[in-house]
Amino acid sequence: MTRLVHTRGDLASALANNSRVLIPTMGALHLGHKSLVESAKAYAANHDGALVVMSIFVNPLQFQDSHDLEVYPRDLVTDSALATEWGVDVIWAPSEADIYGGDAPVSQERLQTLLTGSQTADILEGASRPGHFLGVLTAVSCLFDAVRPQAACFGEKDFQQLVLVRMLASSLVPNVEILAVPTSRDEWGMARSSRLGRLDEGGLSKARVIPTALAAGVEAARDGSNAAGVKAAVLGELDAKPAVRPEYVEVVDDACLPINAVGPARIVLAAQVDGVRIIDNQPIDLKAI
Ligand code: AMP
C-alpha cells in the first residue's frame, strides 16, 4: 500500500526502521520518472525489501526565473495515482517549511565551496542558470537529511546535476549510494521531460531534431572524430533547423568538464524551442584527440 505523507513527523512514522531508497522529483510525473522507480525497486529487491520513497517538491531555490517556477506543473492527485500504480511505498510531498524549516544539515558555505571546487558548477547549466546548482544541492542535502536513504536515484538526463550530486554524496553526505538511471526516451528519441508538455505539436516536431543531432554526434565519434568533430556534427544538424536555438553543445568527461582525451565522454546540449528550454545528452567513446 502506498502512503502519502507531508510533514517530517508523518514521514518518520511511515519509514519506521526500514531501510529506504529515495527518488527525488519535482512531480509532473512521466515515464522518465517511472524508470527511476523501476531502478529503485530493483535496488530494494536486493536490499532487504527497502522502502521505495519518492519525494515530490518543486524546489524554489533552483529556479532563477520566477515565471518558470510559477508555471511549473503541480498536480499531486495525478502524481500520487501514478506513483501508486508504479509501486512506490511512500510519497513525501513536503511544504517549503517541512524542507527548509529546521537547521540546514549542510551549510550554504560548504555547499558553495564544493561547487566552486568542482569547476563544473559554473559552466553549461551553471552558466545559463546562476545559482541553480546551489539550489539543487541545498534541496538534495535536506531531502537526504529527512529521509536518510541508503541509496538515491538520479537520471542521467540531468547529467551535470548527477555529477554534482555524486560529489555531494562522496564528500559531504557519506553513506548514500547514488544510482544513475539511463535516460528514458519517447518513440522519436526525445528525452522525456515535463517541459515537453509546454510544446504544441508544431514545437514538438521541431524539437525532434535534438535526438537526430545527438545521433549524428554519436556516429561521428564512432567514425573516429575528435571532440571538435563531434560538436561540429551535432551543430550541423541543429543549424539546419533555425527554429531550434542551441544554447550550448559540449563534449565532456565523467566530471562534466570539457574533454581533451580519448575514452568515455558525453555530448551535452541545451536548446530553446518555442521558448521552452530542453537539455539532453548522449554517451560516446572518443577515439581521437
Ligand atoms: P525532475 O522531476 O524533473 O526534477 O526529475 C526528477 C529526477 O528524474 C531527476 O533525477 C531527473 O534526472 C530524472 N529524470 C527526468 N526525466 C528523465 C528521463 N527522461 N529519463 C531518466 N530520468 C529522468
Side-chain angles (χ1 to χ4, degrees):
M1 199 194 67
T2 306
R3 290 184 64 180
L4 168 64
V5 296
H6 299 282
T7 64
R8 281 198 188 220
D10 287 347
L11 174 68
S13 30
L15 299 178
N17 289 328
N18 299 288
S19 52
R20 311 104 204 227
V21 49
L22 173 66
I23 306 165
T25 81
M26 297 205 297
L29 299 181
H30 50 70
L31 294 175
H33 296 109
K34 187 181 180 191
S35 61
L36 272 66
V37 174
E38 279 158 6
S39 293
K41 284 166 81 173
Y43 176 92
N46 289 320
H47 291 80
D48 296 334
L51 292 177
V52 174
V53 183
M54 175 184 277
S55 60
I56 298 183
F57 175 60
V58 181
N59 173 29
L61 300 184
Q62 71 188 68
F63 287 81
Q64 287 60 52
D65 177 349
S66 55
H67 175 70
D68 209 21
L69 172 63
E70 226 166 83
V71 301
Y72 201 88
R74 294 163 173 86
D75 182 351
L76 189 55
V77 173
T78 305
D79 286 346
S80 302
L82 282 172
T84 302
E85 183 190 319
W86 298 340
V88 168
D89 297 304
V90 179
I91 305 167
W92 183 36
S95 68
E96 222 180 310
D98 290 318
I99 290 272
Y100 295 131
D103 290 341
V106 184
S107 72
Q108 293 285 285
E109 291 69 28
R110 288 183 80 194
L111 291 175
Q112 189 54 61
T113 304
L114 178 82
L115 288 170
T116 308
S118 76
Q119 296 176 48
T120 181
D122 294 329
I123 60 172
L124 308 171
E125 289 303 289
S128 302
R129 310 174 69 186
H132 171 69
F133 287 122
L134 183 59
V136 169
L137 293 196
T138 303
V140 170
S141 60
C142 291
L143 291 168
F144 284 2
D145 180 57
V147 177
R148 308 235 165 230
Q150 279 65 45
C153 298
F154 289 84
E156 287 182 359
K157 154 144 189 306
D158 298 284
F159 181 67
Q160 197 173 6
Q161 168 175 286
L162 170 65
V163 166
L164 290 167
V165 167
R166 273 199 177 122
M167 233 172 249
L168 171 77
S170 65
S171 46
L172 298 179
V173 193
N175 308 323
V176 182
E177 185 181 346
I178 304 301
L179 309 173
V181 181
T183 303
S184 158
R185 298 180 179 278
D186 69 13
E187 58 200 293
W188 292 276
M190 290 291 296
R192 300 183 199 279
S193 158
S194 51
R195 286 168 187 266
L196 294 184
R198 286 197 225 159
L199 289 173
D200 60 16
E201 220 9 82
L204 283 173
S205 85
K206 290 180 224 165
R208 287 177 192 140
V209 70
I210 291 172
T212 308
L214 284 170
V218 170
E219 197 172 319
R222 207 177 286 140
D223 292 345
S225 291
N226 63 10
V230 168
K231 237 164 109 165
V234 175
L235 283 167
E237 292 289 336
L238 294 178
D239 288 348
K241 294 273 159 66
V244 176
R245 286 192 300 108
E247 236 174 61
Y248 62 75
V249 175
E250 197 50 78
V251 180
V252 296
D253 61 14
D254 278 359
C256 207
L257 294 170
I259 188 167
N260 190 18
V262 294
R266 204 170 271 265
I267 312 166
V268 292
L269 66 76
Q272 295 263 356
V273 185
D274 290 354
V276 176
R277 192 163 180 282
I278 294 172
I279 62 170
D280 201 351
N281 65 79
Q282 276 290 357
I284 53 171
D285 201 16
L286 283 177
K287 295 178 197 140
I289 298 182

